[in-house]
Amino acid sequence: MTKINWTGFSKKSYDERLEFLSKHNLLSPDHQDTLEENVLLTIDTANQMVENVIGTFSLPFTIVPDVMVNDKVYKVPFVTEEPSVVAAATFASKIIKRSGGFKTKVHNRLMIGQVALYDVDDVNTASSAILHHKDEILELANAAHPSIVKRGGGARDLTVEIKEEFLILYLTVDTQEAMGANMVNTMLEAIKPRLEELADAPSLMAILSNYATESLVTAQCCIDTRFLSRNSQEAHHLAEKMVLASRLAQVDPYRAATHNKGIFNGIDALVLATGNDWRAIEAGSHAYASRQGQYHGLATWSYNENAKTLCGELTLPMPIATKGGSIGLNPTVQIAHDLLGNPSARELAQVIVAIGLAQNFAALKALTSTGIQSGHMKLQAKSLLLLAGAKESEIPQLLPQMLTTKRLDSQTAQELLAKFREDS
Ligand code: HMG
């Protein structure tokens, strides 16, 4: 595959960007039309997807162009409303690519469902009875969803745990390319009556768990510190401060929440673009961040002074899908999968975790050097002007004035706009 030079992509006009993508065969003529004509989700399709539809809702669809994961380069689609998120991911991915890119690993890819039983007279006898009939229960689960078994997936294992007054059965299922919520819930409801019989107790509920600890993915990268600053002393200090920032997120939940919010700036943007359930990914990851009893920062960084490398690591539950749900219904989601090269669910999960680590790198670098406001607010300035009522055509004249003011806020934007209109 020929190398694409993305330098200056962000400075191109919208039309030039689309032209660039199609010139490099990254966008089919159909997809180019879809984007240019803004052919979004139709009301008819939206009406089939959810209830009480009164319209559709748009967000910017963008691209982070040059993300290297396991030696393969991806064009990563982002859907986000927040200025500077795409710039930060682009900036970080570029530096990380120059340092060898991300290395990732899928630990496993199984979904977990649970059936909770209560009012159990003798939990030990009930547990033994269930475990004694393990093969039969797995067969029952698979019989409830034969199509996934045909595709090579299906129920894999079951375990039982006693937690307070509950006897909980956990079922692990290989859902192949799907996220599998419906599949797992169907299986759980199919085995529920037999479990009640074996435990001689009622069940409270049967449902998939979003705490997907059997779908963990790790991303790592090691950045050459010369990319932090041309001045080696400055680069050294910055690496040390970024490690301290990573430590702070381990010891202080107030900082950990913001540290993780930054990671999800990128993860949510990609999960949303690919038509996946971002609430499920968020819930699972925040539960994972609390697995030791206190909420922690999810990404960590270490500095090897001799090798002059700053190394980051992020592990997350990533039960992502490439089939099922609303994927395939939304035309922009299809473009997102095409831009990524139509990866498998395993491959997509690895790109998503890598993006989270890139986003964290950019945020920590900004926070421990210039501060967040300079880069973020530079890109926020345009939004402030638009919010103040500026027209698109007035932005080119107003933006340079805005960027030289001391106070980048809505009042300044309003004052500048009023003065500009008075003078012209
Ligand atoms: P900079 O060094 O001023 O940028 O950083 P630059 O103008 O020198 O450009 C460097 C490169 O950044 C560019 O290279 C692009 O790759 C990229 P070029 O293409 O020019 O050769 N870049 C852009 N890409 C697309 N569109 C743009 C653009 N501008 C630069 N307009 C930058 C500027 C914003 C990258 C940097 O300051 C940064 O990474 N800041 C962090 C921003 C951030 O994290 N924003 C998220 C919102 S804040 C938040 O919610 C999370 C937080 O609270 C999390 C936490 O606390 O951990 C921070």
Side-chain angles (χ1 to χ4, degrees), residues 325-341:
S326 67
I327 301 168
L329 293 178
N330 187 329
T332 326
V333 167
Q334 195 46 59
I335 299 177
H337 283 267
D338 282 1
L339 280 170
L340 283 159

Side-chain angles (χ1 to χ4, degrees), residues 378-398:
K378 201 163 72 180
L379 295 165
Q380 180 88 7
K382 206 168 164 182
S383 307
L384 289 172
L385 288 166
L386 289 169
L387 267 176
K391 297 192 189 104
E392 270 290 343
S393 57
E394 294 169 317
I395 299 288
Q397 285 108 308
L398 284 167

Side-chain angles (χ1 to χ4, degrees), residues 369-381:
S369 56
T370 56
I372 200 66
Q373 291 305 75
S374 75
H376 177 61
M377 289 311 286
K378 201 163 72 180
L379 295 165
Q380 180 88 7

Side-chain angles (χ1 to χ4, degrees), residues 10-11 82 84 87-88 91 94 255 261 265 367 372 375 378:
S10 65
K11 316 234 166 24
E82 188 172 9
S84 88
F91 169 68
K94 195 156 73 178
R255 174 57 206 153
K261 185 275 181 189
N265 276 339
L367 286 167
I372 200 66
K378 201 163 72 180

